[in-house]
Amino acid sequence: MGGKQGAHSMTSTTAKIPTAKMGPGKKGGPGSQGSQSSYSSHSSITEPKWFQWLLIAVAVGYLVFLLLLPLAAVFVNAFEKGVQAYFHSFADPFTLFSIRLTLLIAVIAVPLNLTFGVAAAWAIAKFEFRGKNILTTLIDLPFAVSPVVAGLVYVLVFGKQGWLGPWLEDHNIKMIYAVPGIVLATLFVTFPMVARELIPLMQEQGNQEEEAALTLGASGWQTFWHVTLPNIKWGVVYGVILTNARAMGEFGAVSVVSGHIRGQTTTLPLQVEILYNDYDYVQAFSAASLLCFLALVTLVIKSLVEVYMKKTRREAATAQAS
């Protein structure tokens, strides 16, 4: 009797359990649960159309108000008296000197910081040594220190009343209120650019290719020129573009160490300030438009390099996957 009752109980219990439909499109099946969870997840992260357009409008309005309107104002004021007056403003000898000095500073600062940036990035990304974190922190220092403070530091060190001022004066070496001081200030504010672009790139690439080249008998320089440099060339170009743009447009640190001596220590940004303070608005905005044009060219080249870098990375990832 006990066995029959147990069997009857199990049979009745089983009969009460509904049979689940396992088809992918049926209600209650796993496929239905997956589609429902996917739909609910999708609906939970999708904002209403009006909210999306509101965010886009705020972003575009912000850019127009802070970027496009001032940029347009520069060119409108530069051409206020016509094209002939615009080009005639560049015939001013002080403006021509400021352009030449700006290009000279960039020609000096960019190669030096390129060399430092590649060396520092190579050391940090490829080797382990004591003080590595300290070196990385020092590279980021110009991002944290105001350019005006950096220029003031150079005045306190190399000025006539500074630590090295008397020695420099005895040896007839002039740093502050001269071109060497402008070069130093520009070097300080631009030296992280190349290194900061290359460090994450070289860390991502790893050391496998360099180790393989050394195993095959390549020297250190051969490994760098034929293995490391081809892998980072577009990062180098990107860093050089940013360094050049910052070197030509730097104002704060250069303003402190230059002394604003016309025809001797005025770079193009300083010349814009001097002309504007003299109420020579056409020449001031004409010089400013040249800086804006250089900035726009830099942005275009930067965007092209970014596109090519992404394409190169995709091709490399596809080649590794295959």
Side-chain angles (χ1 to χ4, degrees), residues 184-202:
L184 284 177
T186 306
L187 286 172
F188 176 82
V189 298
T190 58
F191 81 79
M193 302 297 179
V194 175
R196 265 295 155 209
E197 290 300 322
L198 293 182
I199 289 172
L201 177 62
M202 297 176 77

Side-chain angles (χ1 to χ4, degrees), residues 54-96:
L54 177 62
L55 290 178
I56 294 172
V58 170
V60 172
Y62 191 80
L63 289 176
V64 168
F65 182 74
L66 290 181
L67 181 63
L68 296 183
L69 283 180
L71 190 63
V74 169
F75 285 97
V76 167
N77 284 279
F79 288 96
E80 183 179 10
K81 295 185 179 180
V83 177
Q84 186 175 0
Y86 174 80
F87 286 105
H88 181 71
S89 63
F90 293 110
D92 179 67
F94 294 130
T95 301
L96 287 175

Side-chain angles (χ1 to χ4, degrees), residues 24-43:
K26 303 294 182 180
K27 184 178 180 180
S32 174
Q33 292 177 358
S35 62
Q36 286 179 359
S37 62
S38 175
Y39 176 80
S40 62
S41 174
H42 179 72
S43 62

Side-chain angles (χ1 to χ4, degrees), residues 137-147 187-192 246:
T137 303
L138 290 177
I139 289 175
D140 292 335
L141 188 62
F143 292 136
V145 176
S146 168
L187 286 172
F188 176 82
V189 298
T190 58
F191 81 79
R246 182 66 188 274

Side-chain angles (χ1 to χ4, degrees), residues 3 23 59-60 93 155 162 200 223 226 269 282 289 294 309:
V60 172
V155 172
T223 301
H226 298 287
V282 172
S289 69
L294 293 174
M309 287 176 67

